[in-house]
Amino acid sequence: DAGKVQAAINQRMGAAMSHIKQAAGVTVETGGYSVYRETPDKQPPRWHGSQTVNLASKDFAALLGLIGTLQQQGLVIQLLAPDISREARQSVEDALTEEALTRLKQRADRIAMTAGIKLQGIRTLTVGNVNAPPPIIRPVLRMAAADAAAPPVAEPGNATVSITASAEFALARP
C-alpha cells in the first residue's frame, strides 16, 4: 500500500542522508518525492515511489565512492553529469577575455597601420559568455531495489569554456 512505499522511501532516504552528511565536501539537496499507483489490467493495484537527491562536490573521486555506498544501500543512480567548478570556469573566462581583447587591439593596430591611418580608440565593445555554467556535479539518486554494485567508473575529460568579444574601433587619418 501507499503507506508502506512511503515508509520504505523515508527509511532508505534517512539512511542515505546520514552517509551523505558524513561525506566531507559534498553538498546535498533533496529533490522530488513521488508515490503513485499503477493499475494493470485485471491485476491488483501496485504502488511505486521515488525521491531524488542532488549531490555536488569538487572532489569527484570521493563523490564516486559515496555514490557506490549509496548504490549498495539500494539507491539507483539516474544521472551523473560532471563539469568544472564555477570558480575554474570564471578563471578561464577571465583569461580568455583578456586574450580576446589583446588580440582585438592588435588586429585593429595592424589594420590601421596597413591602411595608413591612426587608431583613435574603441568606439564600442561587447564581451559575452556563450556557455552558461551548469552544475558542478549532480548525480540524481532514485530509490529502487538493486543488487549491491561497485561505484561508477568515470574518468576526467575536457570542458569547453568560451567567450565572445567584438569591438568597433574609431580610425582617423594621421
Side-chain angles (χ1 to χ4, degrees):
D1 67 34
K4 287 181 182 177
V5 171
Q6 291 172 357
I9 291 171
N10 297 344
Q11 186 272 328
R12 283 197 179 178
M13 291 306 289
M17 292 303 264
S18 68
H19 280 287
I20 293 167
K21 289 180 179 179
Q22 292 174 15
V26 175
T27 58
V28 62
E29 176 183 289
T30 56
Y33 186 104
S34 171
V35 176
Y36 63 93
R37 187 172 100 167
E38 176 187 28
T39 311
D41 287 341
K42 299 180 184 179
Q43 295 180 19
R46 289 184 263 179
W47 287 90
H48 302 275
S50 67
Q51 181 173 10
T52 59
V53 177
N54 299 316
L55 305 175
S57 178
K58 292 181 184 178
D59 186 345
F60 193 61
L63 186 59
L64 286 178
L66 174 62
I67 290 169
T69 299
L70 296 173
Q71 284 177 323
Q72 290 171 359
Q73 292 180 348
L75 296 171
V76 176
I77 189 166
Q78 183 180 7
L79 173 68
L80 179 62
D83 195 17
I84 63 175
S85 69
R86 181 179 310 277
E87 297 83 9
R89 181 177 298 279
Q90 288 172 344
S91 175
V92 171
E93 287 172 347
D94 289 347
L96 288 173
T97 300
E98 187 175 320
E99 179 183 345
L101 295 177
T102 299
R103 291 181 68 194
L104 279 172
K105 173 77 168 67
Q106 289 170 345
R107 185 164 184 211
D109 285 339
R110 278 194 305 275
I111 291 169
M113 185 177 71
T114 302
I117 53 181
K118 183 180 176 187
L119 179 63
Q120 287 185 323
I122 297 174
R123 187 173 291 164
T124 63
L125 175 65
T126 305
V127 178
N129 293 340
V130 175
N131 297 332
I136 301 168
I137 300 170
R138 294 228 181 247
V140 179
L141 305 173
R142 182 179 300 272
M143 193 198 97
D147 294 331
V153 176
E155 290 293 325
N158 295 319
T160 301
V161 179
S162 59
I163 60 105
T164 60
S166 62
E168 183 178 315
F169 291 91
L171 303 172
R173 298 222 178 260

